[in-house]
Amino acid sequence: MKKGILFDVDGTLWDSAPQVTEAWNDILASCPDAGRTITVEDMYQYMGRPMDEISRMMLPHLEEKRRWEIMERCMEYENEYLLTHPGVLYPGVREALCRLAGEYELYIVSNCQDGYIQVLMKVCGLEELIRDMECFGRTGRPKGDNIRLVTERNHLDRALYVGDTAMDQEAADKAGLPFVHASYGFGQAVEPAGVIGEMGELTELAKRILA
């Protein structure tokens, strides 16, 4: 029986909000019509949402075409910026993934732009651990659809999704997977299949859920 664990990124594997905020503000400063800067607190509200939704939240006064032009510049520069100013993995994540990879196939599904997951894996040395990935930036599809896509194309018999927000839980439910809540992240969950206070706790929990 083929078993897998799928992970969200922001608030689950790492926190890059300060660095992404810096990158986006560099772009916003070069766009006078944007007329704003953002804070790290703003970024925590944005993270986990599809990029088109973020653009509407951040630049509601601009027409859709212009919003997206600015968002594309933000996303492109963000990927470059994070290569030299990476986010920070949560405690125990690398060690836990190394242990889990010995028993399960590991995947990442996020609402981010294309390239973001690749940067995470490169700067954090996770490339050998992650079998496959998917994101909104590549498919234009909601997270629930992308979770299902990854489970189907990798022919998983049993799988679970690990995330930190109610949106992650809704996506896992839509894909028909048990949801494990990373309570150290950015959000809340209601009656998840399990809760972890740090990534090391996932080893025993996964054994129970995927038995």
Side-chain angles (χ1 to χ4, degrees):
M1 181 176 289
K2 194 173 183 181
K3 300 179 181 181
I5 300 176
L6 292 75
F7 296 90
D8 169 55
V9 177
D10 298 305
T12 301
L13 296 179
W14 78 349
D15 183 357
S16 67
Q19 294 85 352
V20 176
T21 300
E22 292 168 2
W24 287 21
N25 277 332
D26 284 349
I27 298 300
L28 292 173
S30 71
C31 301
D33 56 337
R36 68 165 303 180
T37 57
I38 59 173
T39 66
V40 175
E41 288 69 30
D42 292 328
M43 186 58 65
Y44 284 132
Q45 296 299 313
Y46 300 157
M47 283 185 158
R49 301 176 186 273
M51 306 307 292
D52 54 349
E53 182 178 343
I54 295 173
S55 72
R56 291 191 293 271
M57 294 173 66
M58 185 170 68
L59 302 167
H61 57 291
L62 297 180
E63 294 183 356
E64 182 177 356
K65 180 180 179 181
R66 179 56 178 158
R67 282 201 305 263
W68 194 245
E69 288 174 351
I70 294 174
M71 279 303 304
E72 286 187 320
R73 289 186 59 192
C74 285
M75 293 184 292
E76 181 179 352
Y77 182 59
E78 171 189 334
N79 287 346
E80 296 175 5
Y81 192 82
L82 287 172
L83 286 172
T84 54
H85 302 77
V88 179
L89 287 178
Y90 287 107
V93 165
R94 185 193 307 277
E95 296 81 2
L97 294 184
C98 287
R99 289 195 302 272
L100 291 165
E103 300 184 50
Y104 310 99
E105 294 195 358
L106 307 184
Y107 307 90
I108 295 177
V109 179
S110 172
N111 270 335
C112 61
Q113 72 274 18
D114 190 21
Y116 184 75
I117 297 172
Q118 294 93 321
V119 169
L120 161 74
M121 294 193 299
K122 181 175 182 178
V123 299
C124 296
L126 305 180
E127 293 170 304
E128 298 301 317
L129 301 176
I130 305 301
R131 296 292 190 94
D132 193 8
M133 61 188 165
E134 199 51 86
C135 65
F136 176 83
R138 294 208 303 191
T139 68
R141 295 164 65 178
K143 181 177 280 188
D145 289 353
N146 287 330
I147 292 173
R148 184 180 296 110
L149 177 63
V150 169
T151 59
E152 290 178 352
R153 75 184 179 206
N154 289 281
H155 308 291
L156 297 178
D157 299 300
R158 301 290 302 276
L160 61 83
Y161 188 72
V162 184
D164 65 301
T165 68
M167 291 181 292
D168 291 333
Q169 184 172 18
E170 291 168 5
D173 289 346
K174 182 177 179 180
L177 297 191
F179 176 71
V180 172
H181 181 228
S183 63
Y184 52 82
F186 304 155
Q188 305 295 321
V190 178
E191 298 183 357
V195 179
I196 55 173
E198 54 93 13
M199 191 60 72
E201 297 173 3
L202 185 58
T203 302
E204 291 303 318
L205 187 58
K207 287 181 180 179
R208 176 173 62 82
I209 295 176
L210 298 178

